């Protein structure tokens, strides 16, 4: 079951079953629903932005281990970043999943998000990994308007 | 009677994909070599545009198409060949009924009654009709054994009901529906029944006269036939009164600049160049089913379902979603591993060479009604063995062990 352990790593499993980011935050400045009709994955992202900075982020919802852990890990990665920085990180993550060229330097910015590098080997699950990142991307675009 | 091992050899996919355990025949069945070869032979020997050429090849192609129609009519025990309309799949057949019959015959405040188990293809089009005509959409719900109670049938199908849409077997729960009872009640109130036999036609015979079905739909690809061809059966007197669905070549009589007269049945409903190769495949698939025989198919289904339910029940972390009485389960079983999302289950099974379906199975209203968002679904066919089920059970155990330590930490 080697291939499986490459995807369902301890890190991913911990985040999917036991995430401290799975909660509601007080007075979020924005929130958005993300939905993956294929899987039935559903997440609600909440965001608190002050002075152009993400000071808090959390999620609720349900879905597969990939979508849930990807959401939780994304939140860890984006918390504390400016909107600019967050957008850049999201862009790198999406590029990585789509197997476009990502430099080592860029990879460093992803934090634990790098754990999803192998998901591109499983086309059926790419949507699960991307759900929260696309949702966050839309949210930040709206904030930026 | 041929052995299952021998029958399995009819399917080239199991030679080409050596170790695969295919448990998704409810989505589409594998194809026996005879079907593939019959289709190939048609293209190699007789291919021409049916109906459109005056030369022999085209006439032969037309004749083959109508031989296939006759084969399907006999298979379903239809009274007339022209009651058989070829479509692209069950979905197109069901849409044809909703658009050509539903829109013209359902009026404001009429009721359309569907089972909550309907596949989106026998549900979403009726929403369109209900919205367009201001009709009501009512549902037959399930009891705790995932079956429709008589009370539900007696109270929901009323004098206002114009349409009853019902599947013979649920593609999610495997429930075998008592369609005869529902048809009898529908006819008692003057409603027309749209029967979706997509999940049963590879497992149980369908006699449209005995059932007194008004409309019946299925796809060839779930019954050992090729992709891209399906069947609509309709009672002649209903089809004759209906307007065409798709319009274009072959379905017309006289076309003027501003108006057109339409061809008689079945051509009225078969617009454009038809899938003769597919019809040949379907015809051969019917012969294939009949050569094995529904009695052996059903015996095999019973054996596998009984064994599988027993096996899954022995795994304490599995929740089964199926009727209590195994005789009311066709060849589909839904289950969940407690605490593990179905998509993760199917991904990991896939790594083990086991193909199952996970998700909402094109039945979102049913899922919502059951209060879940997805299930793991396995479905059997004549080539499946007890060994397939053992492999599945072993893999499920491994998945559970892997996930358990994280779930327990919660
Ligand atoms: C019960 C039922 N009805 C209808 C369909 C639709 O069949 P198709 O997608 O071939 O049109 C399916 C299968 O997908 C089904 O299981
Ligand atoms: Zn998912």
């Amino acid at each position: 079951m080697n291939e499986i352990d490459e995807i369902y790593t301890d890190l991913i499993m911990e985040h999917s079953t036991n995430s401290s980011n799975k909660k509601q935050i007080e007075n979020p400045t924005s929130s958005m629903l993300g939905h993956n009709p294929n899987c039935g994955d559903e997440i609600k992202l909440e965001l608190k932005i002050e002075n152009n900075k993400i000071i808090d982020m959390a999620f609720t919802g349900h879905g597969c281990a990939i979508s849930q852990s990807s959401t939780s890990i994304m939140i860890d990665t984006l918390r504390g970043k400016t909107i600019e920085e967050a957008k850049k990180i999201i862009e790198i993550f999406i590029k990585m999943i789509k197997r476009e060229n990502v430099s080592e330097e860029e990879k460093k910015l992803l934090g634990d998000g790098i754990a999803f590098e192998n998901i591109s080997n499983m086309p059926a699950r790419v949507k699960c990994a991307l759900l929260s990142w696309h949702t966050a991307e839309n949210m930040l675009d709206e904030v930026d308007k | 009677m041929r052995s299952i091992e021998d029958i399995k050899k009819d399917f080239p996919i199991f030679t080409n994909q050596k170790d695969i355990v295919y448990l998704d025949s409810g989505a589409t069945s594998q194809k026996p070599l005879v079907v593939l070869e019959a289709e190939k032979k048609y293209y190699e020997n007789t291919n021409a545009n049916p109906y459109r050429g005056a030369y022999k090849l085209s006439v032969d192609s037309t004749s083959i198409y109508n031989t296939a129609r006759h084969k399907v009519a006999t298979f379903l025990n239809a009274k007339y060949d022209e009651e058989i309309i070829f479509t692209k799949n069950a979905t197109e057949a069901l849409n044809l009924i909703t658009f050509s019959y539903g829109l013209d015959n359902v009026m404001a405040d009429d009721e359309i009654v569907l089972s909550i188990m309907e596949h989106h293809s026998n549900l979403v089009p009726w929403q369109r009709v209900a919205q367009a005509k201001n009709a009501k959409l009512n549902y037959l719900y399930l009891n705790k054994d995932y079956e429709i109670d008589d009370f539900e049938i007696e109270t929901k199908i009323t004098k206002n009901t114009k349409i009853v849409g019902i599947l013979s077997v649920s593609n999610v729960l495997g429930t075998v529906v008592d369609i005869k009872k529902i048809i009898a009640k529908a006819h008692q109130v003057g409603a027309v029944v749209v029967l979706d036999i997509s999940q049963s036609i590879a497992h149980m015979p369908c006699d449209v006269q005995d059932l007194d079905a008004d409309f019946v739909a299925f796809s060839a690809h779930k019954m050992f036939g090729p992709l891209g061809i399906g069947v609509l059966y309709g009672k002649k007197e209903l089809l004759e009164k209906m307007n065409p669905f798709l319009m274009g070549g072959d379905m017309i009589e006289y076309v003027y600049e501003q108006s057109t007269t339409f061809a008689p049945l079945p051509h009225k409903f078969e617009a454009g160049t038809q899938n003769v190769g597919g019809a040949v495949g379907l015809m051969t698939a019917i012969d294939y089913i009949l050569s094995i025989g529904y009695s052996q198919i059903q015996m095999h289904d019973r054996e596998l379902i009984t064994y599988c339910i027993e096996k899954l029940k022995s795994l304490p972390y599995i929740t089964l979603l199926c009727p209590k009485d195994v005789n009311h389960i066709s060849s589909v079983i839904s289950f969940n591993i407690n605490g593990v999302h179905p998509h993760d289950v199917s991904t990991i099974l896939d790594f083990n060479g086991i193909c199952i379906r996970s998700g909402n199975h094109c039945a979102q209203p049913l899922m919502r009604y059951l209060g879940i968002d997805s299930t793991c679904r396995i479905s059997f066919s004549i080539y499946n063995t007890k060994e397939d089920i053992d492999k599945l059970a072993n893999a499920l155990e491994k998945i559970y062990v892997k996930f358990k330590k994280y779930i327990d930490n919660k």
Side-chain angles (χ1 to χ4, degrees):
Chain A
M1 278 189 143
N2 276 341
E3 280 169 301
I4 297 162
D5 293 332
E6 266 176 40
I7 306 273
Y8 292 91
T9 58
D10 273 335
L11 178 78
I12 285 179
M13 293 302 296
E14 283 297 344
H15 273 277
S16 78
T17 50
N18 224 347
S19 171
S20 57
N21 296 325
K22 192 164 183 172
K23 61 179 184 209
Q24 287 183 303
I25 53 184
E26 265 175 48
N27 307 319
T29 47
S30 60
S31 71
M32 196 178 268
L33 289 174
H35 181 51
N36 175 6
N38 254 349
C39 239
D41 299 332
E42 262 172 25
I43 53 154
K44 184 181 179 193
L45 282 183
E46 290 184 339
L47 197 55
K48 198 170 198 168
I49 294 182
E50 268 171 28
N51 300 325
N52 218 30
K53 205 170 183 178
I54 299 173
I55 59 165
D56 204 3
M57 199 173 188
F59 80 105
T60 50
H62 54 83
C64 65
I66 306 296
S67 70
Q68 301 297 295
S69 59
S70 181
T71 309
S72 177
I73 288 172
M74 177 190 78
I75 290 174
D76 277 350
T77 311
L78 298 186
R79 195 183 283 119
K81 299 287 189 298
T82 65
I83 294 179
E84 269 324 283
E85 289 167 336
K87 280 185 162 180
K88 176 81 188 152
I89 292 169
I90 292 170
E91 195 189 310
I92 297 169
F93 185 87
I94 294 171
K95 265 197 338 195
M96 175 182 81
I97 302 288
K98 289 185 176 163
R99 286 193 162 166
E100 288 168 25
N101 253 346
V102 178
S103 70
E104 286 308 311
E105 223 165 285
E106 286 179 318
K107 279 184 187 171
K108 276 192 197 124
L109 295 175
L110 292 179
D112 285 341
I114 197 76
F116 293 95
E117 202 173 6
N118 289 323
I119 215 83
S120 49
N121 298 330
M122 302 195 308
R125 305 306 300 279
V126 160
K127 274 194 180 147
C128 307
L130 283 179
L131 174 65
S132 58
W133 297 79
H134 277 312
T135 310
E137 189 182 33
N138 292 340
M139 269 174 111
L140 293 174
D141 281 346
E142 227 157 68
V143 171
D144 237 8
K145 257 183 210 162
Chain B
M1 206 167 79
R2 293 169 66 201
S3 72
I4 299 304
E5 288 65 37
D6 191 33
I7 289 174
K8 193 167 177 175
K9 291 192 190 118
D10 295 342
F11 295 80
I13 194 131
F14 298 115
T15 313
N16 300 326
Q17 303 277 349
K18 267 270 172 300
D19 293 318
I20 207 144
V21 174
Y22 189 74
L23 294 174
D24 199 19
S25 297
T28 195
S29 75
Q30 295 302 341
K31 322 299 173 200
L33 187 62
V34 282
V35 167
L36 305 174
E37 283 190 330
E39 206 171 339
K40 181 162 175 267
K41 216 168 108 194
Y42 162 76
Y43 283 114
E44 286 174 350
N45 296 308
T46 329
N47 178 57
N49 198 314
Y51 300 118
R52 292 188 187 171
Y55 48 87
K56 182 165 182 308
L57 211 54
S58 172
V59 172
D60 286 350
S61 179
T62 309
S63 142
I64 286 177
Y65 197 52
N66 286 315
T67 305
R69 191 187 311 281
H70 181 67
K71 173 73 74 177
V72 176
T74 310
F75 183 52
L76 298 179
N77 193 29
K79 216 187 262 175
Y80 310 102
D81 284 7
E82 62 266 35
E83 293 180 317
I84 303 301
I85 311 292
F86 286 118
T87 62
K88 175 164 68 143
N89 47 32
T91 301
E92 190 182 79
L94 293 164
N95 273 270
L96 192 161
I97 303 163
T98 50
F99 280 79
S100 291
Y101 185 85
L103 280 178
D104 289 337
N105 290 282
V106 174
M107 299 299 156
D109 300 327
D110 283 349
E111 292 166 4
I112 298 166
V113 176
L114 308 175
S115 94
I116 192 66
M117 293 181 285
E118 291 319 293
H119 187 277
H120 292 163
S121 58
N122 200 20
L123 192 156
V124 181
W126 291 114
Q127 293 179 340
R128 170 85 183 266
V129 173
Q131 281 156 14
K133 308 304 298 241
N134 254 321
K136 278 202 207 92
L137 208 50
N138 292 336
Y139 288 92
L140 301 171
Y141 295 114
L142 306 176
N143 62 23
K144 62 176 187 351
D145 288 330
Y146 305 103
E147 300 194 60
I148 301 170
D149 277 336
D150 289 355
F151 181 77
E152 201 62 12
I153 298 168
E154 286 302 321
T155 51
K156 294 277 177 66
I157 301 174
T158 73
K159 62 181 192 335
N160 299 325
T161 307
K162 287 289 166 341
I163 303 279
V164 176
I166 185 75
L167 41 65
S168 51
V169 166
S170 162
N171 61 313
V172 179
L173 305 166
T175 306
V176 178
V177 176
D178 190 344
I179 46 179
K180 254 192 149 157
K181 193 180 277 171
I182 291 175
I183 291 171
K185 176 67 191 179
H187 287 169
Q188 193 192 318
V189 301
V192 156
V193 177
V194 181
L195 183 60
D196 173 6
I197 59 168
S198 299
Q199 284 298 332
S200 66
I201 190 63
H203 302 272
M204 311 166 190
C206 175
D207 180 329
V208 292
Q209 291 192 66
D210 178 52
L211 285 172
D212 197 19
D214 300 302
F215 295 109
V216 176
F218 68 92
S219 289
H221 70 88
K222 292 188 203 285
M223 49 163 292
F224 310 119
L227 292 166
I229 188 151
V231 169
L232 165 67
Y233 159 84
K235 278 184 185 158
K236 191 172 165 188
E237 62 266 30
L238 292 171
L239 291 174
E240 271 176 343
K241 281 190 229 140
M242 285 157 56
N243 285 313
F245 175 49
L246 300 174
M247 279 151 269
D250 299 334
M251 51 77 68
I252 45 81
E253 230 168 30
Y254 297 104
V255 179
Y256 304 96
E257 286 189 18
Q258 304 295 333
S259 67
T260 294
T261 58
F262 299 114
L265 288 178
H267 313 293
K268 181 168 81 172
F269 292 109
E270 292 179 352
T273 301
Q274 295 296 296
N275 183 0
V276 183
V280 168
L282 167 57
M283 165 163 67
T284 316
I286 290 174
D287 281 335
Y288 184 76
I289 288 183
L290 297 176
S291 76
I292 292 172
Y294 277 115
S295 65
Q296 184 178 358
I297 293 175
Q298 280 181 3
M299 228 165 64
H300 182 62
D301 282 346
R302 284 313 89 212
E303 206 175 305
L304 287 187
I305 284 288
T306 310
Y307 185 73
C308 184
I309 298 254
E310 222 169 80
K311 197 91 194 175
L312 293 180
K313 272 192 178 157
S314 74
L315 308 176
Y317 45 85
I318 297 275
T319 302
L320 281 168
L321 294 96
C322 57
K324 210 187 299 164
D325 184 343
V326 286
N327 291 316
H328 294 183
I329 308 171
S330 178
S331 55
V332 177
I333 298 176
S334 267
F335 67 89
N336 276 322
I337 301 188
N338 303 341
V340 188
H341 193 277
H343 258 233
D344 296 314
V345 176
S346 66
T347 295
I348 300 177
L349 288 177
D350 184 31
F351 279 121
N352 289 263
I354 302 173
C355 312
I356 73 154
R357 176 101 182 256
S358 65
N360 60 50
H361 318 295
C362 305
Q364 287 183 26
L366 173 63
M367 291 291 158
R368 215 164 285 124
Y369 173 72
L370 297 173
I372 52 182
D373 50 51
S374 64
T375 73
C376 302
R377 182 190 79 177
I378 48 181
S379 47
F380 301 118
S381 185
I382 191 71
Y383 36 70
N384 289 115
T385 59
K386 286 185 181 170
E387 200 191 334
D388 292 342
I389 296 170
D390 291 339
K391 285 185 184 162
L392 170 76
N394 285 339
L396 291 176
E397 176 73 18
K398 280 198 244 167
I399 295 171
Y400 179 68
V401 168
K402 175 164 176 65
F403 276 69
K404 185 177 181 301
K405 65 174 194 239
Y406 304 100
I407 297 168
D408 287 351
N409 278 341
K410 246 186 188 171

